[in-house]
Amino acid sequence: MGITPLALSALALLAERPMHPYEMYQLLLERHEDELVKVRPGSLYHAVERLEDHELVEVVGTEREGNRPERTTYAITTAGRGALVERLRDMLSTPVNEFPQFPVALGEAHNGPADLVVDDLRSYVAALDEQIDRASTHLDAAHRRGVPEVYMLAGEYVRHLRRAERDWITTLITRIETKDLPWQPDHH
């Protein structure tokens, strides 16, 4: 079974303790992990069902509160713990090209007028600054709550990447504006 990032997040949550998918969804949002992995309740329920089909998680109970829908609680299996570690090791050791759209836009930016490209890049930098500020706010709050640093590695990594991206784009803007970078070269 190919374990998707969302399925990996589900396994990792269940490695903490048994829970039902809605609780898992709420924890992902509370921990701001929805900024790292695309998550919707339906896709999370589907990921958990696939994990159950492959015997990586198992049902350990069901409950109903009032007239709410029945909630099924899942726990990670021994095979699930093994699959979690195996997938983590693979993801940590092997870079994957995830085909982000921004590099494609950069590669074709020369097709647009330099002044508009600079305006768009300034907007992009502003959005990166907002992401950096939001990440810093979350990380600072977690630090004040005493969350161990090892749980904040993903947030620190993303913040560092955003800063590096912002700095590179800011330099690019300067190079375009000062004409250090020739714009719209001849296509001979």
Side-chain angles (χ1 to χ4, degrees):
M1 169 188 184
I3 297 176
T4 65
L6 181 57
L8 182 85
S9 294
L11 279 175
L13 286 170
L14 293 175
E16 292 179 31
R17 69 178 188 277
M19 58 184 84
H20 52 78
Y22 184 74
E23 181 182 6
M24 295 164 65
Y25 176 73
Q26 292 298 321
L27 266 175
L28 289 170
L29 296 181
E30 180 182 314
R31 295 175 180 177
H32 307 284
E33 291 185 35
D34 58 314
E35 295 178 26
L36 302 174
V37 65
K38 187 174 183 177
V39 60
R40 292 191 199 105
S43 57
L44 181 60
Y45 281 91
H46 181 69
V48 171
E49 287 173 0
R50 285 191 63 228
L51 292 170
E52 182 186 18
D53 290 345
H54 288 86
E55 300 179 354
L56 302 179
V57 302
E58 62 189 358
V59 174
V60 292
T62 56
E63 62 183 51
R64 181 186 298 271
E65 290 181 24
N67 43 349
R68 288 185 169 175
E70 189 174 82
R71 290 192 175 159
T72 303
T73 301
Y74 295 87
I76 193 168
T77 64
T78 302
R81 286 184 189 278
L84 172 63
V85 170
E86 182 179 325
R87 181 67 175 125
L88 281 171
R89 293 195 66 212
D90 181 53
M91 291 171 74
L92 288 169
S93 65
T94 310
V96 173
N97 186 357
E98 300 182 68
F99 304 104
Q101 67 182 13
F102 188 68
V104 174
L106 280 173
E108 300 303 332
H110 61 87
N111 288 294
D115 60 331
L116 294 181
V117 169
V118 165
D119 288 346
D120 292 340
L121 291 174
R122 285 190 195 289
S123 295
Y124 195 92
V125 166
L128 287 173
D129 282 335
E130 288 176 15
Q131 290 177 2
I132 293 164
D133 290 345
R134 190 170 50 252
S136 294
T137 298
H138 296 323
L139 290 165
D140 292 346
H143 181 71
R144 283 192 304 277
R145 287 192 318 270
V147 174
E149 183 180 2
V150 70
Y151 293 119
M152 296 187 282
L153 293 177
E156 288 287 354
Y157 172 77
V158 168
R159 180 170 63 175
H160 185 79
L161 281 180
R162 296 297 178 255
R163 285 177 175 161
E165 187 177 16
R166 177 202 56 207
D167 294 348
W168 187 87
I169 294 168
T170 301
T171 300
L172 176 62
I173 290 168
T174 300
R175 290 189 64 214
I176 294 169
E177 290 179 328
T178 62
K179 310 233 183 303
D180 177 52
L181 177 64
W183 201 250
Q184 294 182 328
D186 290 333
H187 299 285
H188 294 313

